[in-house]
């Protein structure tokens, strides 16, 4: 017998022990997850087919991408302006 075989055997026995010991808790957790997932609003209409099915998902993705681009532009502009303002006020300008 190889030592890795013994290790995997012990790990499998330990896994089965934990699975059997906590089966009630695991089943309760999985049941609660199913209930919560049923409450979710999924970003597609199951009655449609093709690309029409994912219209809400696609629109939401576009909104997120545009928001990230606008936020990145705002942060970059603010950083540039503040860097030059502080540099001007302290006499340590980056660009002369």
């Amino acid at each position: 017998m190889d030592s890795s075989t013994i290790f995997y055997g012990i790990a499998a026995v330990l896994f089965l022990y934990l699975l059997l010991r906590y089966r009630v808790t695991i089943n309760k957790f999985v049941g609660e997850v199913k209930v919560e997932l049923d409450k979710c609003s999924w970003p597609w209409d199951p009655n449609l087919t093709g690309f029409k099915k994912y219209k809400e998902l696609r629109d939401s993705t576009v909104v997120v991408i545009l928001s990230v681009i606008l936020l990145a532009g705002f942060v970059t502009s603010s950083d540039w302006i503040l860097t030059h303002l502080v540099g001007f006020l302290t006499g340590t300008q980056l660009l002369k």
Side-chain angles (χ1 to χ4, degrees):
M1 274 195 149
D2 192 14
S3 62
S4 64
T5 306
I6 295 171
F7 173 76
Y8 289 134
I10 292 172
V13 169
L14 181 63
F15 176 75
L16 286 175
Y17 167 75
L18 291 173
L19 189 65
L20 292 174
R21 176 156 165 67
Y22 295 107
R23 71 182 178 277
V24 174
T25 308
I26 292 170
N27 286 337
K28 181 180 176 187
F29 173 76
V30 170
E32 290 176 0
V33 168
K34 286 180 182 178
V35 168
E36 291 300 322
L37 285 176
D38 287 339
K39 295 178 186 178
C40 290
S41 171
W42 297 101
W44 56 78
D45 186 3
N47 299 326
L48 296 175
T49 59
F51 289 115
K52 293 179 186 175
K53 179 177 183 179
Y54 302 105
K55 182 179 180 344
E56 183 181 348
L57 179 62
R58 186 181 64 238
D59 293 345
S60 299
T61 303
V62 169
V63 168
V64 168
I65 290 171
L66 289 176
S67 300
V68 168
I69 290 171
L70 289 173
L71 182 62
F74 173 75
V75 170
T76 302
S77 301
S78 300
D79 180 52
W80 188 84
I81 290 170
L82 289 173
T83 300
H84 285 82
L85 179 65
V86 170
F88 174 74
L89 294 174
T90 60
T92 57
Q93 298 165 346
L94 294 176
L95 302 173
K96 295 186 178 190

